[in-house]
Amino acid sequence: MTEKATPSPEAITAWARLMRVSRELVENAEDRLKESGLPPLAWYDVLHELAEAGEGGLRPFQLIERTLFAQYNISRLLARLEADGLVEKLPVADDGRGQTIRITAKGRETRRRMWAVYGRSIAELVGGKLSADELKMMSALLGRLRDAPVLD
Amino acid sequence: MTEKATPSPEAITAWARLMRVSRELVENAEDRLKESGLPPLAWYDVLHELAEAGEGGLRPFQLIERTLFAQYNISRLLARLEADGLVEKLPVADDGRGQTIRITAKGRETRRRMWAVYGRSIAELVGGKLSADELKMMSALLGRLRDAPVLD
DNA sequence: TCTATATAGATGCAGTTGCATTAACATCGA
DNA sequence: TCGATGTTAATGCAACTGCATCTATATAGA
């Protein structure tokens, strides 16, 4: 594909909207969680992945793949989650370096309470503004922007 | 409008895509700036607004309105920009509390060099992936999500 | 088997953000 | 005019992030 050095006006507008709207929405969702005395979105992301993974749990590097968080970030986030009793770290039988992270009952409960607030945010901030067809259209368009090329 | 507490599957998918794609794109654009030895995107946002504002400059609170940055964040960001000689702070005649921020020649030059990299990112990451019509469609859909309701 | 290299995860340190508060000035109403 | 309240911007402190590095273990190759 021919890569242009200068973006089209349409590309600039779309980019600017995307940047602004996503920041607004994240901020709004974070504010609502905070208002309810709940942990930040990052915690939800991890608890969600772990809940999906079930009793088998996930290795930290698998969480990194799924969530886009940096390695040191996951490492410390898991430490905080463990300190709060929301996850537990288990040794891995066939790899002495690693550990398996499993969500606890308390972790599931926290996730559930976060979802009550977070889900409402999604319903209001997105679901309430666009029709199902429009939402599908937006998902499709955004999907085409995924997997940005890696540098060097 | 009837506010649903539970979001539709379409809303959840659209939200998830929006969160993930926007993070990927920001990260990618930041990485490219860093690779070129240039300052982060936040600097560009401020320099861009100041360049648009021209010689008259802008008050910090105007930057806050335009950029979504928090007050303390702008305060410190401007301090860094000033330390680098990219902006200058001028007293305001009719308001002893305030100051006017004006971009310097060096600031304009830095903005220009950042745009060379940032603009290419936008062209490649967004402009190269969707047609002009699709970009307009996406901008329109995103526009409908703006101005999320403020809490309390 | 033994060394070199790769991978998993943790961490010290510097820089940044978020929160709460503060200082300085402006404005409004009695 | 003066005090109460509001607005503008800065800052101390704690938490968090990014970077680089480190430890521990695994794997591959001579």
Side-chain angles (χ1 to χ4, degrees):
Chain A
M1 180 189 296
T2 310
E3 299 293 7
K4 290 175 53 186
T6 302
S8 67
E10 291 83 6
I12 296 176
T13 300
W15 177 281
R17 284 269 164 91
L18 186 55
M19 293 298 112
R20 172 162 295 246
V21 169
S22 60
R23 264 197 290 177
E24 279 179 4
L25 295 181
V26 167
E27 216 162 285
N28 202 307
E30 292 275 20
D31 286 349
R32 289 165 185 235
L33 285 171
K34 211 170 297 177
E35 292 236 337
S36 303
L38 291 167
L41 276 184
W43 289 38
Y44 182 84
D45 289 346
V46 168
L47 291 176
H48 173 67
E49 294 297 337
L50 291 174
E52 296 255 297
E55 288 308 307
L58 287 175
R59 302 280 300 268
F61 72 84
Q62 294 177 300
L63 282 168
I64 291 168
E65 291 164 5
R66 286 167 169 71
T67 59
L68 297 187
F69 288 119
Q71 183 270 321
Y72 55 80
N73 223 325
I74 282 288
S75 176
R76 283 159 169 155
L77 182 43
L78 290 175
R80 281 173 242 147
L81 289 171
E82 187 189 27
D84 263 46
L86 305 184
V87 307
E88 51 190 352
K89 298 183 175 182
L90 309 168
V92 179
D94 61 339
D95 190 339
R97 295 167 302 182
Q99 48 187 318
T100 293
I101 310 297
R102 195 165 59 191
I103 190 171
T104 64
K106 185 179 175 193
R108 289 184 190 278
E109 169 62 13
T110 296
R111 189 191 92 81
R112 201 191 53 68
R113 291 194 297 124
M114 290 184 78
W115 179 245
V117 174
Y118 187 26
R120 190 192 319 277
S121 298
I122 294 173
E124 289 179 19
L125 300 176
V126 165
K129 306 263 177 108
L130 297 175
S131 72
D133 278 352
E134 290 168 331
L135 289 168
K136 282 185 203 162
M137 170 70 75
M138 199 173 79
S139 297
L141 290 170
L142 288 169
R144 305 254 307 278
L145 303 181
R146 279 183 306 190
D147 292 327
V150 177
L151 285 180
D152 75 2
Chain B
M1 179 188 297
T2 309
E3 298 295 5
K4 289 174 54 186
T6 301
S8 67
E10 291 83 6
I12 295 176
T13 299
W15 178 280
R17 284 269 165 93
L18 186 55
M19 293 299 113
R20 173 163 294 248
V21 169
S22 60
R23 263 197 290 175
E24 279 178 3
L25 295 181
V26 167
E27 216 161 285
N28 202 307
E30 293 275 18
D31 285 350
R32 288 165 185 237
L33 285 171
K34 210 171 297 177
E35 292 235 338
S36 303
L38 291 167
L41 276 183
W43 288 38
Y44 183 85
D45 289 346
V46 168
L47 291 176
H48 173 66
E49 294 297 337
L50 290 174
E52 296 255 297
E55 287 309 306
L58 287 175
R59 302 281 300 269
F61 71 87
Q62 294 177 300
L63 281 169
I64 291 167
E65 292 165 6
R66 286 168 170 71
T67 59
L68 299 186
F69 288 119
Q71 183 270 320
Y72 54 80
N73 223 325
I74 282 288
S75 176
R76 284 161 169 155
L77 182 42
L78 289 176
R80 279 173 243 147
L81 289 171
E82 188 189 27
D84 263 45
L86 305 184
V87 307
E88 51 190 351
K89 298 183 174 182
L90 310 167
V92 178
D94 60 340
D95 190 338
R97 294 167 300 184
Q99 47 188 318
T100 294
I101 310 297
R102 195 165 60 192
I103 190 171
T104 64
K106 185 180 175 194
R108 289 184 191 278
E109 170 62 13
T110 296
R111 189 190 93 80
R112 200 191 54 67
R113 290 194 298 124
M114 291 185 77
W115 178 246
V117 174
Y118 187 26
R120 189 192 318 277
S121 297
I122 295 174
E124 290 180 17
L125 300 176
V126 166
K129 306 263 178 110
L130 298 175
S131 72
D133 278 352
E134 289 169 330
L135 288 168
K136 282 185 202 163
M137 169 70 75
M138 198 172 80
S139 296
L141 290 170
L142 288 169
R144 305 255 307 278
L145 303 181
R146 278 183 306 191
D147 292 326
V150 177
L151 286 180
D152 73 2

